[in-house]
Amino acid sequence: MSDHVNENRESEARSSSVSTIAPKEGGGFPNPGLPPHIHRQADENPRAEKRAERMVAAMFVLSVLGTVLFVASYFIFTPLGTNLLGTPGTLHAVHWSNLFTGIGLAVAVFFIGAAAVHWAKTLMPDEEWVEERHHIEGSDETREVAASIITDGLEESGVGRRPVIVTAMVAALTALPIAVLAPLSTFGPLPGNKLHHTFWKKGLRITRDTDGTPVKASEVAMNSIFHVMPEGLTEDMEDYLEQRAKAAAVLIRIDPALGQNQESLDNGYQGILAFSKICTHVGCPVALYEQQTHHMLCPCHQSTFDVTDGAKVIFGPAHRPLPQLPIEVDAEGYLVAGGDFPEPIGPSFWNLHKDK
């Protein structure tokens, strides 16, 4: 029995000592081990170490200068305002603005990365270490070892001994966010209630988008669609394009007997309904109308709105109906707006339903 036990133990010992590398005679190769460590110039020559330190600091300083160039270029090479090399409002001015701001930001970001790489390659420890595996157990001793590793790493990296690099690095990292924050000062005033109002007002006639002629109720045939704008919206207005984009609407006439939403029918006139043309998903023009189904379709992402039910969403990514423009008829039979849209047109935003 004892002989059998001894044989088992010897067998286990042999199996535990088997090398993971096949013997040479079996077609394998011996473990070459780690290559000899080659010391860098900065490891042996104090002057080379100092030179590398100055180079890293210089790269951080270049990053700061890149940030300064970006911020300065943003204000002295503007596309529409001040531009030292181009006429404002021209592609030439845009070219110089993009060129100098792009160079400044590229220099700022590049030299932070270059300094970090050069610091790691020339000044931080690069010796190979082999650590035996051990059980992953948390203990006071393990935490002390971990803390000492961090402390030793900080000492070996030379952060405490190289104030020039640290100062330059802090300056570069502090200056870089300015390149992001500086443009915020030129974004202009907050929109206020502008998103909640359009050019439409009570009594304004509804005109054709193509030629600006007013539309009579008698001219709107059953199942037809008109692309319309408010009367008085002219190109000589300072914010013409903005107002035009918000006021775009469509007129559609349906059989009132098909209506599923009485409130929507009440805001129309004898089945003539007016809705915003701007999709409530991402603002594309909802310009396609299916006469047989009475559905309006957005061509961008296929949001579909049911005109017979107050333009409610029946398909697609939009989350709310198209705002409806209340309409009336004046004494001459022309269609006029009964007021502005009851809610903001286009895509939703955070304070959509705040008080106007």
Side-chain angles (χ1 to χ4, degrees):
M1 176 65 72
S2 61
D3 293 341
H4 182 67
V5 172
N6 291 334
E7 290 178 0
N8 287 341
R9 289 177 177 173
E10 292 175 1
S11 176
E12 291 176 0
R14 286 195 300 270
S15 63
S16 64
S17 63
V18 173
S19 173
T20 57
I21 300 178
K24 188 174 182 179
E25 56 272 13
F29 54 89
N31 185 352
L34 294 174
H37 178 68
I38 301 176
H39 293 282
R40 303 163 301 187
Q41 288 188 358
D43 296 331
E44 299 177 335
N45 187 342
R47 295 181 62 184
E49 180 184 8
K50 207 65 179 176
R51 185 168 56 250
E53 181 179 351
R54 287 195 297 268
M55 186 173 294
V56 172
M59 290 182 182
F60 281 128
V61 171
L62 286 174
S63 174
V64 174
L65 295 178
T67 300
V68 172
L69 174 62
F70 173 87
V71 175
S73 301
Y74 189 84
F75 292 100
I76 64 178
F77 295 105
T78 60
L80 300 177
T82 303
N83 196 298
L84 300 182
L85 297 176
T87 303
T90 64
L91 289 178
H92 204 208
V94 175
H95 165 76
W96 290 115
S97 175
N98 291 344
L99 177 64
F100 282 103
T101 55
I103 291 176
L105 189 59
V107 169
V109 175
F110 172 79
F111 279 106
I112 284 181
V117 171
H118 193 65
W119 187 358
K121 285 186 171 293
T122 59
L123 296 174
M124 291 187 179
D126 71 334
E127 296 184 9
E128 297 84 2
W129 294 85
V130 177
E131 293 183 350
E132 299 294 334
R133 287 181 177 269
H134 55 81
H135 296 292
I136 304 177
E137 298 177 353
S139 64
D140 294 338
E141 182 181 356
T142 302
R143 286 192 291 270
E144 290 178 3
V145 171
S148 66
I149 290 175
I150 296 175
T151 304
D152 294 342
L154 290 174
E155 291 183 4
E156 293 174 354
S157 65
V159 172
R161 295 184 291 106
R162 297 188 170 91
V164 175
I165 288 182
V166 174
T167 302
M169 179 182 67
V170 171
L173 294 177
T174 303
L176 183 60
I178 298 176
V180 179
L181 298 176
L184 295 179
S185 63
T186 64
F187 279 3
L190 295 175
N193 288 334
K194 289 183 179 180
L195 299 177
H196 290 77
H197 298 282
T198 70
F199 194 80
W200 291 104
K201 295 178 180 63
K202 184 177 178 62
L204 281 183
R205 283 184 174 179
I206 298 174
T207 63
R208 293 173 177 84
D209 186 13
T210 53
D211 55 15
T213 56
V215 182
K216 284 188 173 182
S218 58
E219 297 173 339
V220 185
M222 190 66 65
N223 296 327
S224 63
I225 180 171
F226 284 68
H227 298 271
V228 297
M229 286 285 174
E231 187 178 40
L233 186 57
T234 58
E235 295 184 7
D236 57 353
M237 298 176 58
E238 182 178 357
D239 56 348
Y240 168 71
L241 291 179
E242 176 186 342
Q243 294 295 346
R244 177 180 173 82
K246 293 193 298 181
V250 292
L251 275 180
I252 299 173
R253 188 165 200 163
I254 65 171
D255 184 350
L258 299 176
Q260 306 176 53
N261 188 312
Q262 188 59 46
E263 182 181 0
S264 176
L265 291 174
D266 293 341
N267 284 323
Y269 176 79
Q270 297 182 356
I272 302 175
L273 308 174
F275 296 98
S276 170
K277 188 178 176 180
I278 309 304
C279 182
T280 54
H281 176 218
V282 292
C284 295
V286 183
L288 303 178
Y289 177 60
E290 299 175 347
Q291 292 182 335
Q292 302 301 317
T293 61
H294 307 292
H295 294 164
M296 291 182 65
L297 177 68
C298 176
C300 291
H301 305 98
Q302 287 70 56
S303 291
T304 307
F305 305 86
D306 187 356
V307 174
T308 65
D309 194 14
K312 288 184 178 178
V313 181
I314 60 174
F315 180 80
H319 290 287
R320 62 188 182 98
L322 295 173
Q324 184 174 357
L325 181 72
I327 58 175
E328 303 168 350
V329 173
D330 64 12
E332 299 180 41
Y334 288 103
L335 293 170
V336 298
D340 199 358
F341 291 104
E343 63 180 24
I345 56 92
S348 300
F349 47 93
W350 68 97
N351 58 347
L352 175 70
H353 297 293
K354 78 170 187 177
D355 294 337
K356 297 183 179 182

